[in-house]
Amino acid sequence: MGIQRRHFLQRTGGLALAALIQARPVEAAEKGFCIPNDPLEALMAGNRRFAKAWRLAEQNNGTTPRTAGANPRCFNSPRALATNQHPWATVLTCSDSRVSPSWVFDTTPGELFVIRNAGNTAFTEAIASVEYSVSVLKTPLLMVMGHSGCGAVTAAMDTNPLTPSLDRLIQPIRENINGSSDIEDAVKRNALASASTLIQRSAVLAEAKASGALKLVVGCFQLNSGVVSLIE
Ligand SMILES: [Zn+2]
């Protein structure tokens, strides 16, 4: 184990859970970072901007018209981001090229801490990354987001032969969807189960949620509208 990794573990292992409830947003905002007062509302407002731009692009033959008079928005400066980060939300979602959280929530660099794999599964590595974001970076909001037409969930519903690696990838999804044959239902079951797994397998995340330091929500992104709906 390298020095850097040991250092990381010492830092995270030594974290008192009480530190999770520090008034971190105010501190970070005072340092010039973009920190919304209501992270969930900021996330959903960003999605409304994205969905609107997507609809406009569809009406304009695939181009996004410049919106004159658009409200000025917060943008973390490169200088601030070069030495620090204060993301205000963590998103666990699918690797699908159409589901990029930074676009879907209309955010700028430094705002979202993102973990992705095909099927948004809470693998051990994903749990560890979320723990880092919540306990070290102190993100106050965690969203697990599935999406319509997910290829990984579709593969889990099929019996087609897969490579050994892909088979391992979709095994937890198969368990999560519990035999569902409806893709919309299966996507929701899978996202809800991933969120439950994060809490069940991580004492740090369970404690953060129980203390109120962390809000956990589950969303579903609709590809045909660009809209993210909260399902929990
Ligand atoms: Zn997917």
Side-chain angles (χ1 to χ4, degrees), residues 43 46-47 50 98-106 145 221 226 228:
L43 211 57
N47 177 245
F50 169 79
R98 303 162 292 182
V99 191
S100 170
S102 293
W103 281 99
V104 168
F105 296 113
D106 190 28
M145 184 172 76
F221 176 57
V228 173

Side-chain angles (χ1 to χ4, degrees), residues 94 96 119 147 150-152:
C94 186
D96 192 298
H147 69 97
C150 183

